[in-house]
Amino acid sequence: MNILLLGNGGREHALAWKINQSPICQQLFIAPGNAGTSNEGINIPIEPTDFESIKDLVLDEEIDIVVVGPELPLVKGIFDYFQADEELKHIPVIGPSAEAARLEGSKAYAKQFMQDFNIPTATYQSFTKATLTEGLNFIDQQSPPFVLKADGLAAGKGVVIVDTSFEAKQELEAMLNGKFGAASQAVVIEQFLKGQEFSVFVLTDGKHYKILPAAKDYKRVGEGDRGLNTGGMGSISPVPFLTSELMKKVEQRIIQPTIKGIETRQLNYRGFLFFGLIEVEGEPFVIEYNCRLGDPETQSVLVRLDNDLVEIFEALVEGRLSEVVIEENDVQAVTVILVAGGYPEQYDKGKEIKGLETEIYDSFIFHAGTKQLGAQVLTDGGRVLAITAYGDTFQEALAACYKNAQLINFQGKYYRKDIGSGY
Ligand code: AMP
Ligand code: GLY
């Protein structure tokens, strides 16, 4: 089977590594990929949202299945593009339709969905420019802190949490006046939830689902969870505080009603669904849905999945998902992200990465923002490399990650030194 994987981050390098292990996979293509994915397959310089070029590639290379890493092509309708094309419609795309991807692409849509299907989440209201006055009054009725979310995709920056109603009102006006462009034409204001966050992933055909290993992401740039939000500075799997009792609540109160909602709404969903959750005094709530796997959660999750991933994809597209038995091993996995200094704000690209050729100690080095230039590997993004290791304990895995984090160098390298600490 020839497989096309779309995306260019650490998640995609990890997916490429896992897909490439499958004896069913004949040739793997990654579009556009990065310096790391070129060790697992053939990189093709096509953007995941350039559907016409993807069509040409799929036909030329006789691709049998397309796996979509990031959300943007899904929200823009790659699934629907394939369905609507006579030459492509028989080729499965792992990912939901554009309508179903609104679970990630529109916070207002997701909140309404959760409300309709009685799925626990923070209480909320949604406002537009036409209802600004109601929004300002709503803020007056709430107590701090205030959580404001741009409705649409805003590259992970669309959530603002402030402590005073004055700031909340200013922020609401700025957002509705285009602070995040079209993404903040509508704004969700919701109740602040205090607790521990974690991520649960399922693979679904819109009716059945299989639960993959869960993970915890470290979102803030600074140690002790301080500073700006990032795409993720590290991850661990399993989640130490996710007891079987809590997981049972997650499955019964969140996963099952969500899948039921997808079925009831007749949404076309054949792909990964990511539940961003928070535990508040023992009870799980949904912070957000994503229509894809997480980055950098995927890196820690996939080393704990013993199944052949391509076999699971085959079962999914052949309507046999319910037959799949997920084989989750009990290693403890950790991922530490090396970022470019300044990230998530301004940072440099094009710095040479050294040390990749040296003996890497008991870890996987998944590339995120890198590119190959001749014999050199250069930085090409904020999150540059993901170092993933596993062991019998988090401590063992962490020791390997941090040893490698020191061996690999590029100008401005920064990483959090407290990923997984305390567990
Ligand atoms: P989101 O993009 O919706 O995942 O939000 C980004 C981050 O903002 C989350 O990972 C949380 O840390 C925080 N956040 C979002 N919604 C809430 C909420 N209702 N209460 C507390 N923190 C939140
Ligand atoms: N690590 C969070 C995300 O992928 O959205």
Side-chain angles (χ1 to χ4, degrees):
M1 170 183 279
N2 292 335
I3 302 177
L4 171 62
L5 170 65
L6 301 181
N8 64 348
R11 166 184 52 213
E12 284 75 25
H13 189 182
L15 279 166
W17 163 80
K18 186 76 181 160
I19 289 170
N20 195 29
Q21 284 168 41
S22 169
I24 311 168
C25 176
Q26 259 164 12
Q27 184 63 62
L28 172 64
F29 297 87
I30 310 100
N34 59 37
T37 60
S38 60
N39 296 320
E40 308 293 344
I42 301 174
N43 282 353
I44 307 282
I46 292 177
E47 285 306 312
T49 48
D50 180 357
F51 297 167
E52 281 172 23
S53 302
I54 290 171
K55 173 177 176 176
D56 291 342
L57 173 65
V58 164
L59 297 178
D60 288 349
E61 300 296 349
E62 299 179 0
I63 299 293
D64 298 296
I65 189 167
V66 180
V67 180
V68 186
E71 63 279 13
L72 201 54
L74 295 166
V75 171
K76 290 198 168 199
I78 191 164
F79 178 91
D80 313 78
Y81 180 89
F82 271 63
Q83 290 284 299
D85 189 299
E86 280 307 316
E87 290 174 287
L88 296 179
K89 68 200 255 191
H90 66 286
I91 299 167
V93 172
I94 303 295
S97 66
E99 172 69 11
R102 292 181 76 198
L103 287 171
E104 171 163 5
S106 166
K107 301 272 189 205
Y109 178 91
K111 295 296 283 193
Q112 184 68 50
F113 180 95
M114 288 183 249
Q115 190 166 300
D116 291 349
F117 294 101
N118 221 353
I119 295 160
T121 188
T123 56
Y124 82 105
Q125 282 207 27
S126 176
F127 302 96
T128 61
K129 230 173 172 174
T131 54
L132 172 65
T133 314
E134 286 91 324
L136 298 173
N137 290 337
F138 181 72
I139 291 172
D140 276 330
Q141 292 152 19
Q142 309 300 309
S143 43
F146 301 90
V147 182
L148 292 92
K149 299 185 171 183
D151 178 53
L153 295 181
K157 298 194 177 114
V159 176
V160 178
I161 302 178
V162 290
D163 285 324
T164 65
S165 61
F166 177 75
E167 289 167 288
K169 288 177 182 176
Q170 273 191 326
E171 196 56 50
L172 177 63
E173 288 200 50
M175 281 176 145
L176 291 176
N177 282 322
K179 178 172 174 181
F180 297 108
S184 62
Q185 272 170 3
V187 173
V188 165
I189 303 182
E190 67 178 38
Q191 169 200 17
F192 179 83
L193 297 175
K194 193 166 167 44
Q196 307 196 79
E197 288 180 60
F198 59 108
S199 309
V200 168
F201 307 94
V202 305
L203 197 60
T204 182
D205 57 9
K207 198 168 175 177
H208 311 95
Y209 63 88
K210 290 290 162 183
I211 303 176
L212 303 171
K216 174 178 157 56
D217 176 19
Y218 289 75
K219 285 207 168 78
R220 302 293 198 92
V221 71
E223 278 149 30
D225 291 331
R226 295 205 176 82
L228 294 173
N229 251 326
T230 70
M233 298 293 293
S235 65
I236 58 172
S237 178
V239 180
F241 56 86
L242 180 52
T243 58
S244 54
E245 190 192 356
L246 179 58
M247 192 60 210
K248 204 165 143 195
K249 290 180 186 172
V250 169
E251 187 166 6
Q252 288 175 350
R253 297 180 197 170
I254 292 172
I255 299 176
Q256 286 169 358
T258 299
I259 303 298
K260 194 83 206 146
I262 287 172
E263 197 184 348
T264 307
R265 289 273 160 88
Q266 296 183 317
L267 298 178
N268 240 323
Y269 209 118
R270 191 172 59 190
F272 295 105
L273 177 54
F274 163 166
F275 300 81
L277 304 174
I278 188 164
E279 181 213 347
V280 182
E281 291 166 7
E283 308 303 325
F285 291 81
V286 179
I287 291 274
E288 63 167 351
Y289 288 124
N290 294 309
C291 58
R292 52 174 173 84
L293 286 175
D295 190 347
E297 291 99 324
T298 301
Q299 294 85 320
S300 295
V301 164
L302 289 184
V303 299
R304 299 198 50 238
L305 183 70
D306 284 343
N307 300 69
D308 177 334
L309 190 57
V310 182
E311 254 177 38
I312 304 184
F313 290 151
E314 262 190 340
L316 179 69
V317 300
E318 289 169 8
R320 294 184 287 106
L321 184 64
S322 54
E323 291 169 17
V324 169
V325 178
I326 296 295
E327 292 156 31
E328 175 174 328
N329 63 44
D330 43 357
V331 302
Q332 305 214 319
V334 181
T335 297
V336 174
I337 304 288
L338 304 188
V339 306
Y343 172 80
E345 297 184 289
Q346 291 293 320
Y347 57 82
D348 289 334
K349 290 184 183 178
K351 304 292 177 196
E352 188 181 357
I353 306 171
K354 297 199 176 114
L356 288 172
E357 67 292 343
T358 57
E359 193 84 355
I360 296 296
Y361 181 78
D362 264 359
S363 300
F364 301 102
I365 308 295
F366 294 123
H367 290 225
T370 70
K371 79 171 179 205
Q372 191 85 38
L373 190 73
Q376 291 184 333
V377 178
L378 305 181
T379 68
D380 194 38
R383 292 190 290 172
V384 176
L385 295 166
I387 305 177
T388 300
Y390 61 83
D392 290 337
T393 63
F394 284 125
Q395 295 318 316
E396 199 183 313
L398 278 164
C401 282
Y402 286 125
K403 190 162 171 180
N404 291 314
Q406 285 172 351
L407 288 172
I408 299 170
N409 273 307
F410 54 87
Q411 197 185 320
K413 175 185 77 176
Y414 166 77
Y415 56 96
R416 271 181 68 166
K417 297 176 190 64
D418 64 342
I419 304 300
S421 69
Y423 295 123

